[in-house]
């Protein structure tokens, strides 16, 4: 089984940095990352709307 690093796989399947597809992918990943940070902070502070379910 051949092992490759994540960056190589992304370059191969999404595109190299600077291409339209790669820029869109990187933006989507960054949005998801920030969203998870916000979610975790809200959860930590007890600010989730669904906190009454837990």
């Amino acid at each position: 089984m051949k092992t490759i690093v994540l960056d190589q796989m992304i370059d191969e399947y999404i595109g190299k940095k600077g291409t339209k597809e790669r820029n869109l992918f990187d933006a989507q990943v960054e949005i998801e990352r920030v969203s998870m940070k916000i979610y975790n902070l809200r959860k930590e502070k007890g600010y989730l709307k669904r906190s009454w379910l837990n």
Side-chain angles (χ1 to χ4, degrees), residues 8-25:
Q8 288 175 332
M9 189 175 78
I10 292 172
D11 286 349
E12 184 176 332
Y13 291 101
I14 306 296
K16 299 246 183 228
K17 288 189 180 210
T19 62
K20 182 179 176 182
E21 294 83 8
R22 179 63 179 266
N23 289 341
L24 179 61
F25 174 79

Side-chain angles (χ1 to χ4, degrees), residues 27-53:
Q28 290 171 334
V29 168
E30 186 65 18
I31 289 168
E32 190 65 31
R33 195 175 70 79
V34 170
S35 297
M36 286 305 299
K37 280 187 173 188
I38 292 169
Y39 172 81
N40 288 331
L41 285 171
R42 289 176 55 90
K43 185 176 179 182
E44 181 182 303
K45 299 285 185 182
Y47 295 154
L48 294 178
K49 290 182 181 178
R50 295 184 228 159
S51 62
W52 57 273
L53 292 174

